[in-house]
Amino acid sequence: HVIADVRSQRDGAVVDDYFEVDLHYANRPRLKVRLTGGCLVHAATNLPRYIVHGTRGSFVKKGTDPQEEELKAGRLPHQDDWGVEPLEFSGELSYTDAEGKSFRERIPSTPG
């Protein structure tokens, strides 16, 4: 089943600018997916853009997709370094292997 909260948070907003949706799966009762989005968090806060948790680890991704700013600056997708994110926006994977040893590694985004 689906549980959703959709609303306008900004003063004077004429359209909804926030959502939170929880997805529950009948065939996987322990699985829950939560999606959220809104306009009130400034991009400079560098909060995670998404987080994925599993039974043995988590993946956290920060930063914004650089393509929009590159287009505004006149750059085009066919250029060699199109869509390359700064390394500080790489994802971070933390997990425990089958033997119980913990690992943490940076996962750079695929350009484009």
Side-chain angles (χ1 to χ4, degrees):
H1 67 274
V2 176
I3 299 171
D5 176 11
V6 180
R7 64 178 75 192
S8 296
Q9 290 185 321
R10 294 171 296 147
D11 291 338
V14 295
V15 297
D16 294 330
D17 58 12
Y18 169 84
F19 71 88
E20 181 174 287
V21 178
D22 288 347
L23 307 173
H24 301 266
Y25 298 86
N27 62 338
R28 301 207 40 210
R30 293 175 38 195
L31 176 64
K32 179 175 103 172
V33 175
R34 175 170 284 168
L35 307 167
T36 63
C39 294
L40 295 182
V41 178
H42 192 274
T45 60
N46 199 25
L47 292 172
R49 295 298 173 210
Y50 56 87
I51 302 172
V52 178
H53 297 295
T55 56
R56 293 198 338 219
S58 297
F59 180 77
V60 178
K61 177 69 173 84
K62 293 185 175 182
T64 57
D65 186 330
Q67 295 179 31
E68 183 176 353
E69 292 304 316
E70 289 182 352
L71 285 170
K72 289 177 185 176
R75 302 201 64 243
L76 297 173
H78 68 277
Q79 293 174 301
D80 289 339
D81 59 350
W82 170 260
V84 175
E85 289 183 332
L87 287 177
E88 64 265 20
F89 291 155
S90 295
E92 183 173 282
L93 177 64
S94 302
Y95 64 96
T96 303
D97 69 9
E99 287 78 43
K101 187 175 178 184
S102 294
F103 295 90
R104 178 174 284 175
E105 58 187 271
R106 306 281 298 165
I107 309 292
S109 298
T110 301

